[in-house]
Amino acid sequence: MDVRWEEEGWERLTGRAGRRRLPVWDCTVGLVVGDESVLLIDPGSCLREGAQVRAEAERLAGRRVTHIAFTHGHFDHVLGGAAFSGAEVFGAVGLDALLSTGREDLRGDAVRHGLAEAEAAEAVDLLVVPKHLVSGEWTLELGGLQVLLANVGPGHTRHDLAVFVPGERETAFCGDLVEESGEPLAGPDATPRQWPAALDRLLALGGDDALYVPGHGAVVTADFVRAQRATLAARFGVSET
């Protein structure tokens, strides 16, 4: 059953997969609709944003969001999660511990980037921690559609998860392992010398013909990912093998 991607602000990727670029930080939210279950990828930066995304996603899907995947643990990708009560939450192994012990750092980072203090505090207080932890690959059955969750990091962070959706073209939700709207950000929690290898794993799973959906920016091709991999390798002194 293909989705009619008519909700304002949503972009069709395949019949069953689409995405929305949220305002302010241009963070991508992904939506994958199966016959029985619905997966949402990266639910936004606060409860207000998460609630808006949930309402739009459930209008598109015609049913509630049943699964959430966090591509990594930065505030703009996880703090909307508490708006999705009852959803099963997935993340890379270790992300649960990071989010459980790093709440104050997460709140501070959100405020430094411009989220209102009260919204940041509320979202962190109600923060959803993933219960399903992906150490390698995890096939998620959505009903008539099998989605692959793959722990392809570390790279942008120590807990980078990619989501691969079959369709007329394979679609890979990359999180911030790939960025189109600016240079890839290597913050204090990045493992930059391992980042090129993470992109190699991403490309091996997605293939040459896939749509690669970055955490921020326009959808790109495998050639773009390869070029970004070469840039990162040169930037961080990683020799080619």
PDB file of all heavy atoms in Angstrom, residues 67-104:
ATOM      1  N   HIS A  67       6.979   2.479  15.928  1.00  0.00           N
ATOM      2  CA  HIS A  67       8.411   2.301  16.137  1.00  0.00           C
ATOM      3  C   HIS A  67       9.141   3.619  15.887  1.00  0.00           C
ATOM      4  O   HIS A  67       8.786   4.380  14.985  1.00  0.00           O
ATOM      5  CB  HIS A  67       8.981   1.241  15.183  1.00  0.00           C
ATOM      6  CG  HIS A  67       8.391  -0.119  15.349  1.00  0.00           C
ATOM      7  ND1 HIS A  67       7.136  -0.448  14.880  1.00  0.00           N
ATOM      8  CD2 HIS A  67       8.882  -1.247  15.918  1.00  0.00           C
ATOM      9  CE1 HIS A  67       6.879  -1.712  15.177  1.00  0.00           C
ATOM     10  NE2 HIS A  67       7.920  -2.224  15.797  1.00  0.00           N
ATOM     11  N   ILE A  68      10.169   3.857  16.698  1.00  0.00           N
ATOM     12  CA  ILE A  68      11.044   5.024  16.560  1.00  0.00           C
ATOM     13  C   ILE A  68      12.475   4.516  16.433  1.00  0.00           C
ATOM     14  O   ILE A  68      12.892   3.601  17.154  1.00  0.00           O
ATOM     15  CB  ILE A  68      10.960   5.947  17.796  1.00  0.00           C
ATOM     16  CG1 ILE A  68       9.551   6.518  17.945  1.00  0.00           C
ATOM     17  CG2 ILE A  68      12.012   7.055  17.734  1.00  0.00           C
ATOM     18  CD1 ILE A  68       9.215   7.608  16.986  1.00  0.00           C
ATOM     19  N   ALA A  69      13.250   5.122  15.529  1.00  0.00           N
ATOM     20  CA  ALA A  69      14.681   4.844  15.440  1.00  0.00           C
ATOM     21  C   ALA A  69      15.448   6.145  15.613  1.00  0.00           C
ATOM     22  O   ALA A  69      15.146   7.140  14.941  1.00  0.00           O
ATOM     23  CB  ALA A  69      15.040   4.203  14.103  1.00  0.00           C
ATOM     24  N   PHE A  70      16.403   6.150  16.528  1.00  0.00           N
ATOM     25  CA  PHE A  70      17.323   7.272  16.693  1.00  0.00           C
ATOM     26  C   PHE A  70      18.590   6.980  15.894  1.00  0.00           C
ATOM     27  O   PHE A  70      19.253   5.963  16.131  1.00  0.00           O
ATOM     28  CB  PHE A  70      17.715   7.455  18.157  1.00  0.00           C
ATOM     29  CG  PHE A  70      16.614   7.891  19.079  1.00  0.00           C
ATOM     30  CD1 PHE A  70      16.598   7.467  20.400  1.00  0.00           C
ATOM     31  CD2 PHE A  70      15.605   8.736  18.645  1.00  0.00           C
ATOM     32  CE1 PHE A  70      15.607   7.883  21.282  1.00  0.00           C
ATOM     33  CE2 PHE A  70      14.595   9.145  19.515  1.00  0.00           C
ATOM     34  CZ  PHE A  70      14.594   8.723  20.834  1.00  0.00           C
ATOM     35  N   THR A  71      18.958   7.859  14.974  1.00  0.00           N
ATOM     36  CA  THR A  71      20.204   7.649  14.236  1.00  0.00           C
ATOM     37  C   THR A  71      21.428   7.957  15.091  1.00  0.00           C
ATOM     38  O   THR A  71      22.505   7.430  14.837  1.00  0.00           O
ATOM     39  CB  THR A  71      20.259   8.499  12.961  1.00  0.00           C
ATOM     40  OG1 THR A  71      20.206   9.890  13.305  1.00  0.00           O
ATOM     41  CG2 THR A  71      19.116   8.149  12.013  1.00  0.00           C
ATOM     42  N   HIS A  72      21.280   8.817  16.093  1.00  0.00           N
ATOM     43  CA  HIS A  72      22.338   9.120  17.064  1.00  0.00           C
ATOM     44  C   HIS A  72      21.713   9.956  18.167  1.00  0.00           C
ATOM     45  O   HIS A  72      20.511  10.235  18.131  1.00  0.00           O
ATOM     46  CB  HIS A  72      23.534   9.823  16.409  1.00  0.00           C
ATOM     47  CG  HIS A  72      23.238  11.141  15.774  1.00  0.00           C
ATOM     48  ND1 HIS A  72      22.460  11.257  14.636  1.00  0.00           N
ATOM     49  CD2 HIS A  72      23.608  12.410  16.100  1.00  0.00           C
ATOM     50  CE1 HIS A  72      22.371  12.531  14.294  1.00  0.00           C
ATOM     51  NE2 HIS A  72      23.048  13.253  15.169  1.00  0.00           N
ATOM     52  N   GLY A  73      22.519  10.370  19.134  1.00  0.00           N
ATOM     53  CA  GLY A  73      21.965  10.942  20.343  1.00  0.00           C
ATOM     54  C   GLY A  73      21.980  12.443  20.470  1.00  0.00           C
ATOM     55  O   GLY A  73      21.848  12.952  21.588  1.00  0.00           O
ATOM     56  N   HIS A  74      22.122  13.198  19.400  1.00  0.00           N
ATOM     57  CA  HIS A  74      22.118  14.656  19.515  1.00  0.00           C
ATOM     58  C   HIS A  74      20.704  15.190  19.702  1.00  0.00           C
ATOM     59  O   HIS A  74      19.728  14.593  19.229  1.00  0.00           O
ATOM     60  CB  HIS A  74      22.777  15.278  18.292  1.00  0.00           C
ATOM     61  CG  HIS A  74      24.258  15.074  18.259  1.00  0.00           C
ATOM     62  ND1 HIS A  74      25.024  15.275  17.137  1.00  0.00           N
ATOM     63  CD2 HIS A  74      25.126  14.687  19.240  1.00  0.00           C
ATOM     64  CE1 HIS A  74      26.298  15.012  17.415  1.00  0.00           C
ATOM     65  NE2 HIS A  74      26.381  14.658  18.679  1.00  0.00           N
ATOM     66  N   PHE A  75      20.608  16.321  20.404  1.00  0.00           N
ATOM     67  CA  PHE A  75      19.310  16.816  20.872  1.00  0.00           C
ATOM     68  C   PHE A  75      18.285  16.981  19.754  1.00  0.00           C
ATOM     69  O   PHE A  75      17.095  16.685  19.938  1.00  0.00           O
ATOM     70  CB  PHE A  75      19.491  18.152  21.619  1.00  0.00           C
ATOM     71  CG  PHE A  75      19.558  19.352  20.724  1.00  0.00           C
ATOM     72  CD1 PHE A  75      18.411  20.081  20.432  1.00  0.00           C
ATOM     73  CD2 PHE A  75      20.754  19.754  20.147  1.00  0.00           C
ATOM     74  CE1 PHE A  75      18.462  21.183  19.586  1.00  0.00           C
ATOM     75  CE2 PHE A  75      20.811  20.847  19.312  1.00  0.00           C
ATOM     76  CZ  PHE A  75      19.661  21.569  19.025  1.00  0.00           C
ATOM     77  N   ASP A  76      18.721  17.461  18.574  1.00  0.00           N
ATOM     78  CA  ASP A  76      17.773  17.741  17.498  1.00  0.00           C
ATOM     79  C   ASP A  76      17.230  16.468  16.861  1.00  0.00           C
ATOM     80  O   ASP A  76      16.286  16.521  16.064  1.00  0.00           O
ATOM     81  CB  ASP A  76      18.390  18.653  16.438  1.00  0.00           C
ATOM     82  CG  ASP A  76      19.765  18.212  15.955  1.00  0.00           C
ATOM     83  OD1 ASP A  76      20.482  17.537  16.710  1.00  0.00           O
ATOM     84  OD2 ASP A  76      20.138  18.572  14.818  1.00  0.00           O
ATOM     85  N   HIS A  77      17.780  15.324  17.230  1.00  0.00           N
ATOM     86  CA  HIS A  77      17.345  14.038  16.689  1.00  0.00           C
ATOM     87  C   HIS A  77      16.570  13.186  17.703  1.00  0.00           C
ATOM     88  O   HIS A  77      15.953  12.204  17.292  1.00  0.00           O
ATOM     89  CB  HIS A  77      18.547  13.251  16.176  1.00  0.00           C
ATOM     90  CG  HIS A  77      19.233  13.907  15.023  1.00  0.00           C
ATOM     91  ND1 HIS A  77      19.053  13.506  13.718  1.00  0.00           N
ATOM     92  CD2 HIS A  77      20.099  14.949  14.975  1.00  0.00           C
ATOM     93  CE1 HIS A  77      19.784  14.277  12.915  1.00  0.00           C
ATOM     94  NE2 HIS A  77      20.426  15.154  13.662  1.00  0.00           N
ATOM     95  N   VAL A  78      16.619  13.536  18.994  1.00  0.00           N
ATOM     96  CA  VAL A  78      16.020  12.637  19.991  1.00  0.00           C
ATOM     97  C   VAL A  78      14.994  13.282  20.925  1.00  0.00           C
ATOM     98  O   VAL A  78      14.144  12.575  21.477  1.00  0.00           O
ATOM     99  CB  VAL A  78      17.106  11.955  20.868  1.00  0.00           C
ATOM    100  CG1 VAL A  78      18.089  11.175  20.013  1.00  0.00           C
ATOM    101  CG2 VAL A  78      17.834  12.953  21.757  1.00  0.00           C
ATOM    102  N   LEU A  79      15.048  14.607  21.126  1.00  0.00           N
ATOM    103  CA  LEU A  79      14.255  15.189  22.213  1.00  0.00           C
ATOM    104  C   LEU A  79      12.759  15.244  21.924  1.00  0.00           C
ATOM    105  O   LEU A  79      11.968  15.500  22.828  1.00  0.00           O
ATOM    106  CB  LEU A  79      14.780  16.579  22.577  1.00  0.00           C
ATOM    107  CG  LEU A  79      16.106  16.602  23.348  1.00  0.00           C
ATOM    108  CD1 LEU A  79      16.460  18.026  23.764  1.00  0.00           C
ATOM    109  CD2 LEU A  79      16.059  15.694  24.568  1.00  0.00           C
ATOM    110  N   GLY A  80      12.344  14.967  20.689  1.00  0.00           N
ATOM    111  CA  GLY A  80      10.915  14.857  20.408  1.00  0.00           C
ATOM    112  C   GLY A  80      10.333  13.491  20.698  1.00  0.00           C
ATOM    113  O   GLY A  80       9.123  13.278  20.564  1.00  0.00           O
ATOM    114  N   GLY A  81      11.166  12.550  21.129  1.00  0.00           N
ATOM    115  CA  GLY A  81      10.734  11.163  21.264  1.00  0.00           C
ATOM    116  C   GLY A  81       9.622  10.931  22.260  1.00  0.00           C
ATOM    117  O   GLY A  81       8.792  10.025  22.074  1.00  0.00           O
ATOM    118  N   ALA A  82       9.571  11.727  23.332  1.00  0.00           N
ATOM    119  CA  ALA A  82       8.555  11.506  24.360  1.00  0.00           C
ATOM    120  C   ALA A  82       7.143  11.805  23.860  1.00  0.00           C
ATOM    121  O   ALA A  82       6.171  11.434  24.509  1.00  0.00           O
ATOM    122  CB  ALA A  82       8.864  12.352  25.589  1.00  0.00           C
ATOM    123  N   ALA A  83       7.009  12.455  22.705  1.00  0.00           N
ATOM    124  CA  ALA A  83       5.684  12.713  22.145  1.00  0.00           C
ATOM    125  C   ALA A  83       5.054  11.454  21.553  1.00  0.00           C
ATOM    126  O   ALA A  83       3.867  11.457  21.228  1.00  0.00           O
ATOM    127  CB  ALA A  83       5.782  13.798  21.069  1.00  0.00           C
ATOM    128  N   PHE A  84       5.839  10.380  21.417  1.00  0.00           N
ATOM    129  CA  PHE A  84       5.368   9.151  20.768  1.00  0.00           C
ATOM    130  C   PHE A  84       5.155   8.058  21.818  1.00  0.00           C
ATOM    131  O   PHE A  84       5.853   7.046  21.834  1.00  0.00           O
ATOM    132  CB  PHE A  84       6.370   8.709  19.704  1.00  0.00           C
ATOM    133  CG  PHE A  84       6.477   9.667  18.554  1.00  0.00           C
ATOM    134  CD1 PHE A  84       7.269  10.803  18.651  1.00  0.00           C
ATOM    135  CD2 PHE A  84       5.778   9.439  17.380  1.00  0.00           C
ATOM    136  CE1 PHE A  84       7.372  11.694  17.595  1.00  0.00           C
ATOM    137  CE2 PHE A  84       5.867  10.325  16.323  1.00  0.00           C
ATOM    138  CZ  PHE A  84       6.653  11.462  16.434  1.00  0.00           C
ATOM    139  N   SER A  85       4.199   8.270  22.678  1.00  0.00           N
ATOM    140  CA  SER A  85       3.960   7.309  23.753  1.00  0.00           C
ATOM    141  C   SER A  85       3.573   5.959  23.175  1.00  0.00           C
ATOM    142  O   SER A  85       2.806   5.867  22.210  1.00  0.00           O
ATOM    143  CB  SER A  85       2.853   7.818  24.682  1.00  0.00           C
ATOM    144  OG  SER A  85       1.659   8.003  23.967  1.00  0.00           O
ATOM    145  N   GLY A  86       4.128   4.911  23.763  1.00  0.00           N
ATOM    146  CA  GLY A  86       3.808   3.554  23.357  1.00  0.00           C
ATOM    147  C   GLY A  86       4.631   3.012  22.215  1.00  0.00           C
ATOM    148  O   GLY A  86       4.536   1.823  21.899  1.00  0.00           O
ATOM    149  N   ALA A  87       5.463   3.850  21.575  1.00  0.00           N
ATOM    150  CA  ALA A  87       6.275   3.377  20.457  1.00  0.00           C
ATOM    151  C   ALA A  87       7.478   2.587  20.965  1.00  0.00           C
ATOM    152  O   ALA A  87       8.029   2.876  22.030  1.00  0.00           O
ATOM    153  CB  ALA A  87       6.757   4.551  19.615  1.00  0.00           C
ATOM    154  N   GLU A  88       7.877   1.566  20.208  1.00  0.00           N
ATOM    155  CA  GLU A  88       9.101   0.822  20.496  1.00  0.00           C
ATOM    156  C   GLU A  88      10.283   1.617  19.950  1.00  0.00           C
ATOM    157  O   GLU A  88      10.265   2.031  18.778  1.00  0.00           O
ATOM    158  CB  GLU A  88       9.045  -0.557  19.831  1.00  0.00           C
ATOM    159  CG  GLU A  88       7.903  -1.441  20.299  1.00  0.00           C
ATOM    160  CD  GLU A  88       8.104  -1.922  21.729  1.00  0.00           C
ATOM    161  OE1 GLU A  88       9.270  -2.077  22.136  1.00  0.00           O
ATOM    162  OE2 GLU A  88       7.095  -2.111  22.433  1.00  0.00           O
ATOM    163  N   VAL A  89      11.306   1.829  20.790  1.00  0.00           N
ATOM    164  CA  VAL A  89      12.393   2.744  20.426  1.00  0.00           C
ATOM    165  C   VAL A  89      13.686   1.959  20.225  1.00  0.00           C
ATOM    166  O   VAL A  89      14.081   1.154  21.079  1.00  0.00           O
ATOM    167  CB  VAL A  89      12.585   3.822  21.499  1.00  0.00           C
ATOM    168  CG1 VAL A  89      13.675   4.810  21.075  1.00  0.00           C
ATOM    169  CG2 VAL A  89      11.272   4.572  21.741  1.00  0.00           C
ATOM    170  N   PHE A  90      14.351   2.236  19.091  1.00  0.00           N
ATOM    171  CA  PHE A  90      15.577   1.554  18.694  1.00  0.00           C
ATOM    172  C   PHE A  90      16.730   2.565  18.619  1.00  0.00           C
ATOM    173  O   PHE A  90      16.537   3.722  18.270  1.00  0.00           O
ATOM    174  CB  PHE A  90      15.410   0.903  17.316  1.00  0.00           C
ATOM    175  CG  PHE A  90      14.452  -0.242  17.285  1.00  0.00           C
ATOM    176  CD1 PHE A  90      13.076  -0.020  17.337  1.00  0.00           C
ATOM    177  CD2 PHE A  90      14.919  -1.550  17.208  1.00  0.00           C
ATOM    178  CE1 PHE A  90      12.183  -1.086  17.307  1.00  0.00           C
ATOM    179  CE2 PHE A  90      14.030  -2.620  17.177  1.00  0.00           C
ATOM    180  CZ  PHE A  90      12.667  -2.385  17.227  1.00  0.00           C
ATOM    181  N   GLY A  91      17.931   2.063  18.934  1.00  0.00           N
ATOM    182  CA  GLY A  91      19.134   2.870  18.791  1.00  0.00           C
ATOM    183  C   GLY A  91      20.348   1.962  18.771  1.00  0.00           C
ATOM    184  O   GLY A  91      20.261   0.765  19.066  1.00  0.00           O
ATOM    185  N   ALA A  92      21.482   2.529  18.426  1.00  0.00           N
ATOM    186  CA  ALA A  92      22.722   1.762  18.443  1.00  0.00           C
ATOM    187  C   ALA A  92      23.075   1.369  19.873  1.00  0.00           C
ATOM    188  O   ALA A  92      22.765   2.094  20.832  1.00  0.00           O
ATOM    189  CB  ALA A  92      23.851   2.578  17.824  1.00  0.00           C
ATOM    190  N   VAL A  93      23.720   0.221  20.020  1.00  0.00           N
ATOM    191  CA  VAL A  93      24.099  -0.240  21.346  1.00  0.00           C
ATOM    192  C   VAL A  93      24.958   0.828  22.023  1.00  0.00           C
ATOM    193  O   VAL A  93      25.829   1.439  21.408  1.00  0.00           O
ATOM    194  CB  VAL A  93      24.840  -1.600  21.256  1.00  0.00           C
ATOM    195  CG1 VAL A  93      26.190  -1.474  20.551  1.00  0.00           C
ATOM    196  CG2 VAL A  93      24.999  -2.235  22.626  1.00  0.00           C
ATOM    197  N   GLY A  94      24.663   1.090  23.291  1.00  0.00           N
ATOM    198  CA  GLY A  94      25.362   2.120  24.049  1.00  0.00           C
ATOM    199  C   GLY A  94      24.634   3.445  24.107  1.00  0.00           C
ATOM    200  O   GLY A  94      24.915   4.268  24.990  1.00  0.00           O
ATOM    201  N   LEU A  95      23.693   3.667  23.188  1.00  0.00           N
ATOM    202  CA  LEU A  95      22.969   4.936  23.201  1.00  0.00           C
ATOM    203  C   LEU A  95      22.081   5.063  24.434  1.00  0.00           C
ATOM    204  O   LEU A  95      21.891   6.166  24.958  1.00  0.00           O
ATOM    205  CB  LEU A  95      22.128   5.074  21.930  1.00  0.00           C
ATOM    206  CG  LEU A  95      21.400   6.411  21.759  1.00  0.00           C
ATOM    207  CD1 LEU A  95      22.377   7.574  21.704  1.00  0.00           C
ATOM    208  CD2 LEU A  95      20.511   6.388  20.513  1.00  0.00           C
ATOM    209  N   ASP A  96      21.553   3.947  24.915  1.00  0.00           N
ATOM    210  CA  ASP A  96      20.724   3.986  26.120  1.00  0.00           C
ATOM    211  C   ASP A  96      21.500   4.530  27.307  1.00  0.00           C
ATOM    212  O   ASP A  96      21.025   5.408  28.043  1.00  0.00           O
ATOM    213  CB  ASP A  96      20.156   2.606  26.431  1.00  0.00           C
ATOM    214  CG  ASP A  96      21.223   1.530  26.582  1.00  0.00           C
ATOM    215  OD1 ASP A  96      22.338   1.684  26.011  1.00  0.00           O
ATOM    216  OD2 ASP A  96      20.951   0.521  27.263  1.00  0.00           O
ATOM    217  N   ALA A  97      22.727   4.039  27.500  1.00  0.00           N
ATOM    218  CA  ALA A  97      23.550   4.511  28.619  1.00  0.00           C
ATOM    219  C   ALA A  97      23.918   5.978  28.438  1.00  0.00           C
ATOM    220  O   ALA A  97      23.894   6.760  29.404  1.00  0.00           O
ATOM    221  CB  ALA A  97      24.808   3.655  28.736  1.00  0.00           C
ATOM    222  N   LEU A  98      24.261   6.373  27.220  1.00  0.00           N
ATOM    223  CA  LEU A  98      24.623   7.764  26.958  1.00  0.00           C
ATOM    224  C   LEU A  98      23.476   8.704  27.302  1.00  0.00           C
ATOM    225  O   LEU A  98      23.669   9.726  27.981  1.00  0.00           O
ATOM    226  CB  LEU A  98      25.012   7.928  25.489  1.00  0.00           C
ATOM    227  CG  LEU A  98      25.302   9.361  25.043  1.00  0.00           C
ATOM    228  CD1 LEU A  98      26.611   9.850  25.637  1.00  0.00           C
ATOM    229  CD2 LEU A  98      25.331   9.463  23.528  1.00  0.00           C
ATOM    230  N   LEU A  99      22.270   8.369  26.853  1.00  0.00           N
ATOM    231  CA  LEU A  99      21.127   9.241  27.107  1.00  0.00           C
ATOM    232  C   LEU A  99      20.706   9.211  28.576  1.00  0.00           C
ATOM    233  O   LEU A  99      20.207  10.214  29.101  1.00  0.00           O
ATOM    234  CB  LEU A  99      19.957   8.840  26.215  1.00  0.00           C
ATOM    235  CG  LEU A  99      20.162   9.044  24.707  1.00  0.00           C
ATOM    236  CD1 LEU A  99      18.919   8.602  23.935  1.00  0.00           C
ATOM    237  CD2 LEU A  99      20.516  10.478  24.379  1.00  0.00           C
ATOM    238  N   SER A 100      20.918   8.095  29.233  1.00  0.00           N
ATOM    239  CA  SER A 100      20.535   7.993  30.648  1.00  0.00           C
ATOM    240  C   SER A 100      21.444   8.814  31.547  1.00  0.00           C
ATOM    241  O   SER A 100      21.001   9.423  32.526  1.00  0.00           O
ATOM    242  CB  SER A 100      20.558   6.529  31.088  1.00  0.00           C
ATOM    243  OG  SER A 100      19.573   5.790  30.416  1.00  0.00           O
ATOM    244  N   THR A 101      22.728   8.842  31.224  1.00  0.00           N
ATOM    245  CA  THR A 101      23.695   9.526  32.102  1.00  0.00           C
ATOM    246  C   THR A 101      24.054  10.928  31.624  1.00  0.00           C
ATOM    247  O   THR A 101      24.631  11.697  32.400  1.00  0.00           O
ATOM    248  CB  THR A 101      24.991   8.710  32.207  1.00  0.00           C
ATOM    249  OG1 THR A 101      25.587   8.570  30.907  1.00  0.00           O
ATOM    250  CG2 THR A 101      24.713   7.327  32.784  1.00  0.00           C
ATOM    251  N   GLY A 102      23.703  11.267  30.394  1.00  0.00           N
ATOM    252  CA  GLY A 102      24.133  12.546  29.833  1.00  0.00           C
ATOM    253  C   GLY A 102      23.026  13.561  29.651  1.00  0.00           C
ATOM    254  O   GLY A 102      23.109  14.431  28.766  1.00  0.00           O
ATOM    255  N   ARG A 103      22.013  13.500  30.498  1.00  0.00           N
ATOM    256  CA  ARG A 103      20.853  14.377  30.322  1.00  0.00           C
ATOM    257  C   ARG A 103      21.212  15.853  30.457  1.00  0.00           C
ATOM    258  O   ARG A 103      20.736  16.689  29.691  1.00  0.00           O
ATOM    259  CB  ARG A 103      19.748  14.002  31.318  1.00  0.00           C
ATOM    260  CG  ARG A 103      19.101  12.661  31.009  1.00  0.00           C
ATOM    261  CD  ARG A 103      18.144  12.215  32.103  1.00  0.00           C
ATOM    262  NE  ARG A 103      17.627  10.881  31.816  1.00  0.00           N
ATOM    263  CZ  ARG A 103      16.403  10.626  31.375  1.00  0.00           C
ATOM    264  NH1 ARG A 103      15.565  11.619  31.159  1.00  0.00           N
ATOM    265  NH2 ARG A 103      16.012   9.403  31.134  1.00  0.00           N
ATOM    266  N   GLU A 104      22.044  16.195  31.421  1.00  0.00           N
ATOM    267  CA  GLU A 104      22.395  17.595  31.614  1.00  0.00           C
ATOM    268  C   GLU A 104      23.210  18.116  30.434  1.00  0.00           C
ATOM    269  O   GLU A 104      23.016  19.253  29.988  1.00  0.00           O
ATOM    270  CB  GLU A 104      23.162  17.777  32.920  1.00  0.00           C
ATOM    271  CG  GLU A 104      23.504  19.227  33.251  1.00  0.00           C
ATOM    272  CD  GLU A 104      22.278  20.143  33.290  1.00  0.00           C
ATOM    273  OE1 GLU A 104      21.177  19.675  33.639  1.00  0.00           O
ATOM    274  OE2 GLU A 104      22.446  21.345  32.964  1.00  0.00           O
TER     275      GLU A 104
END
